[in-house]
Amino acid sequence: MKKIDLMIFDLDGTLAATGQDLVNSVNYALRSIGLQEKPAADIIACVGDGVTKLMERALGADNHRHLKEALNIFSDHYGTHLLDNTFLYPGVEEVLLKFSETKKVILTNKRYDYSLALVRGLGIEKYFLEIIGADSMPFLKPDRRQVEYLLDKYRARRENTVMIGDGGNDILAAKNSGILSLVLLNGLGDRNTLRKMNADYYCEDIREIIALFEGSCAEK
């Protein structure tokens, strides 16, 4: 097994199944400005690069003039309904408990306030040292500077740090910073696209991590 000093987790599609609530809030925003709703799969395909990109893609180029209004409507609705249908994936808490002594953080392109509300609402905040959201730094995944910050802050060895996620940005963030990448294929990302990106590890179930990695004791 590979020894791991620091585990960097994505949030949406990795720890929590957030897709339905994102879809509902995007479609609520589209309806509110008089546009037609979109199929869930089309909206899920827009996820991964932050809320502005999500709404830009959902609106399409012809409706860009509605972006500010749609963002405001989405933000208000999602902030109230982000836990309506969202749940932890099976095995998540088992994995977090197994690696309870290993340093763990969340790195997501989701806004910090949404991320904190989700993590608290799902009862897993206690497992993480830090949450870095889309507005926590002036850059998003896959920018390597976020990972470099974490490596330095937690004195983690590059070769013993893993990025765990379900999207292309997670793989690219790992590759850009020289850490390991592990991809969960049953999240929000397109599995065929992810397979072509040559991550270090691929898993169908997050519990497979237990057989792959050996945790390190966190410094007190």
Side-chain angles (χ1 to χ4, degrees), residues 57-150:
R57 292 164 179 164
L59 286 168
D62 292 341
N63 295 300
H64 191 267
R65 65 189 182 279
H66 296 298
L67 179 59
K68 183 176 180 180
E69 181 184 7
L71 271 172
N72 289 335
I73 295 170
F74 170 88
S75 296
D76 289 343
H77 188 271
Y78 189 65
T80 303
H81 297 280
L82 54 77
L83 283 165
D84 286 1
N85 302 283
T86 289
F87 56 91
L88 290 177
Y89 283 109
V92 164
E93 195 142 21
E94 179 182 343
V95 169
L96 297 178
L97 281 168
K98 176 67 177 180
F99 293 96
S100 60
E101 296 301 315
T102 302
K103 296 173 183 177
K104 295 179 294 299
V105 299
I106 290 174
L107 176 59
T108 174
N109 284 347
K110 194 184 202 77
R111 270 178 27 186
Y112 175 80
D113 57 342
Y114 294 154
S115 302
L116 183 61
L118 276 174
V119 168
R120 284 181 173 172
L122 295 170
I124 57 172
E125 181 185 12
K126 61 188 176 184
Y127 296 110
F128 298 98
L129 296 170
E130 185 171 3
I131 299 171
I132 297 177
D135 45 352
S136 300
M137 292 184 176
F139 25 80
L140 302 175
K141 289 185 293 186
D143 195 300
R144 68 191 299 269
R145 287 172 288 184
Q146 293 177 312
V147 176
E148 295 294 340
Y149 159 80
L150 292 170

Side-chain angles (χ1 to χ4, degrees), residues 48-50 109 141-143 163 167-174 176 194 197:
D49 293 299
N109 284 347
K141 289 185 293 186
D143 195 300
M163 178 76 220
N169 280 335
D170 301 308
I171 299 174
L172 292 174
N176 289 344
L194 295 170
M197 295 184 70

Side-chain angles (χ1 to χ4, degrees), residues 7-78:
M7 306 175 89
I8 305 173
F9 286 87
D10 177 48
L11 180 54
D12 292 75
T14 298
L15 297 171
T18 58
Q20 188 59 57
D21 287 325
L22 288 167
V23 168
N24 291 349
S25 290
V26 167
N27 275 331
Y28 177 81
L30 294 177
R31 287 197 312 270
S32 297
I33 59 176
L35 297 178
Q36 187 173 1
E37 292 187 13
K38 289 185 175 292
D42 290 355
I43 294 174
I44 294 300
C46 299
V47 173
D49 293 299
V51 63
T52 300
K53 286 293 184 184
L54 170 62
M55 285 309 309
E56 280 182 359
R57 292 164 179 164
L59 286 168
D62 292 341
N63 295 300
H64 191 267
R65 65 189 182 279
H66 296 298
L67 179 59
K68 183 176 180 180
E69 181 184 7
L71 271 172
N72 289 335
I73 295 170
F74 170 88
S75 296
D76 289 343
H77 188 271
Y78 189 65

Side-chain angles (χ1 to χ4, degrees), residues 152-167:
D152 182 63
K153 181 173 182 177
Y154 296 107
R155 300 193 295 276
R157 292 167 290 184
R158 205 174 298 273
E159 66 272 19
N160 297 112
T161 298
V162 61
M163 178 76 220
I164 300 166
D166 72 311

